[in-house]
Amino acid sequence: MDQRPILFFDSGVGGLSIVGPARAALPDAPFVYAADSAGFPYGTKSEAEIAARVPVLLGRLAERYRPRLIVIACNTASTIALAVVRAALDLPVVGTVPAIKPAAALSVTRTIGVLGTEATVRQAYVDDLAARFARDCTVVRYGSAALVEMAEAKLHGRAVAPERYVAVLDGLFSQTGGAAIDVIVNACTHFPLVEAELAAAAPGVRFVDGGPGIARRIVHLMQDETWSGAGEGIAVFTRLGDEERRLGPALTARGFGRIEQL
């Protein structure tokens, strides 16, 4: 029986927000989760650094784990490196893009926020999505490296003060027109991991992300595949130290009982 897995890739633990809906959709599929801990975080890096780093790492991961499909479970890496990775690898590669289309469909005030990393929110790709799917909306963007760190801290079991979430969201609400925002796109895969905290800091505002849509895309691409059972999931890090090992309980809870280093 073919045991080749689906491989999820992110700079850190954010891609676990994509793993959740994907595992619910394909409970018998084997998963590998790869985190570029040595390169974390991507949101503050230049486009050139990410474009050079991601295809090389995914080439090494593809060689080791022989996946049937790769999910770049990182908005920043997807908006910068997806085309290069697809050209380099002879297997399906799914990217993650900001969920601007569903946000626009939900918005009553016609004002939506895009909350991502600095590297993601400045991409022309976001301009294109806004022009295609939210032409009649005001789209307010804000990039936060701090929120990435806060999501990582949560999975490490470290407390984060609620006022820090309020401060991050103020980066959207304080901009011109920001007070009218009624839907926020979590345009970094880390951010759905702290959606409850964000929602508590912004009562009445709805949050959307790309996880459910990515899961549907994976199911579509894998519809002719057969699975013999998920087995023990593997989490692999480009740097495996004490900080990464402390993620053990969070990873085990999500089906990744084995930890390796690339």
Side-chain angles (χ1 to χ4, degrees):
M1 183 68 71
D2 189 346
Q3 288 299 304
R4 291 176 300 148
I6 295 173
L7 188 144
F8 297 79
F9 174 83
D10 186 25
S11 62
V13 298
L16 292 172
S17 68
I18 305 297
V19 167
R23 195 180 291 283
L26 291 172
D28 294 326
F31 286 179
V32 172
Y33 186 84
D36 183 14
S37 46
F40 176 84
Y42 280 0
T44 56
K45 287 183 165 50
S46 70
E47 282 82 349
E49 287 178 283
I50 294 168
R53 185 175 183 88
V54 170
V56 172
L57 284 174
L58 283 173
R60 291 173 60 195
L61 288 161
E63 184 176 3
R64 177 184 287 191
Y65 296 103
R66 300 293 179 187
R68 309 186 202 201
L69 176 144
I70 288 175
V71 181
I72 302 181
C74 171
N75 292 85
T76 301
S78 294
T79 56
I80 295 169
L82 180 60
V84 178
V85 172
R86 282 177 169 163
L89 298 179
D90 188 22
L91 74 162
V93 181
V94 175
T96 307
V97 297
I100 289 174
K101 183 179 180 179
L106 288 170
S107 178
V108 175
T109 64
R110 313 313 295 155
T111 304
I112 63 177
V114 177
L115 185 61
T117 66
E118 295 170 9
T120 292
V121 298
R122 66 175 178 249
Q123 294 302 313
Y125 195 92
V126 179
D127 296 330
D128 179 62
L129 289 171
R132 288 166 59 197
F133 301 120
R135 189 173 300 173
D136 66 334
C137 294
T138 298
V139 180
V140 183
R141 311 183 200 183
Y142 183 66
S144 173
L147 192 54
V148 175
E149 299 284 357
M150 290 152 68
E152 291 270 333
K154 179 180 178 179
L155 259 70
H156 279 88
R158 298 192 295 268
V160 177
E163 55 266 27
R164 293 190 64 192
Y165 295 100
V166 174
V168 167
L169 290 171
D170 189 57
L172 284 172
F173 297 136
S174 65
Q175 294 185 48
T176 302
I181 291 171
D182 63 346
V183 182
I184 291 176
V185 179
N186 276 327
C188 170
T189 55
H190 277 81
F191 298 172
L193 299 175
V194 290
E195 183 175 320
E197 290 83 354
L198 290 168
V205 175
R206 298 182 69 171
F207 290 83
V208 297
D209 64 84
I214 296 301
R216 289 192 295 271
R217 181 61 178 161
I218 295 169
V219 169
H220 173 73
L221 291 171
M222 297 286 99
Q223 60 185 330
D224 296 325
E225 299 288 322
T226 56
W227 315 93
S228 62
E232 184 179 43
I234 301 169
V236 55
F237 295 88
T238 54
R239 180 189 60 218
L240 184 54
D242 291 342
E243 188 76 359
E244 289 75 28
R245 293 188 187 281
R246 278 193 283 271
L247 288 167
L251 291 168
T252 299
R254 290 165 173 81
F256 299 99
R258 202 165 115 208
I259 297 179
E260 299 178 355
Q261 181 169 5
L262 182 64

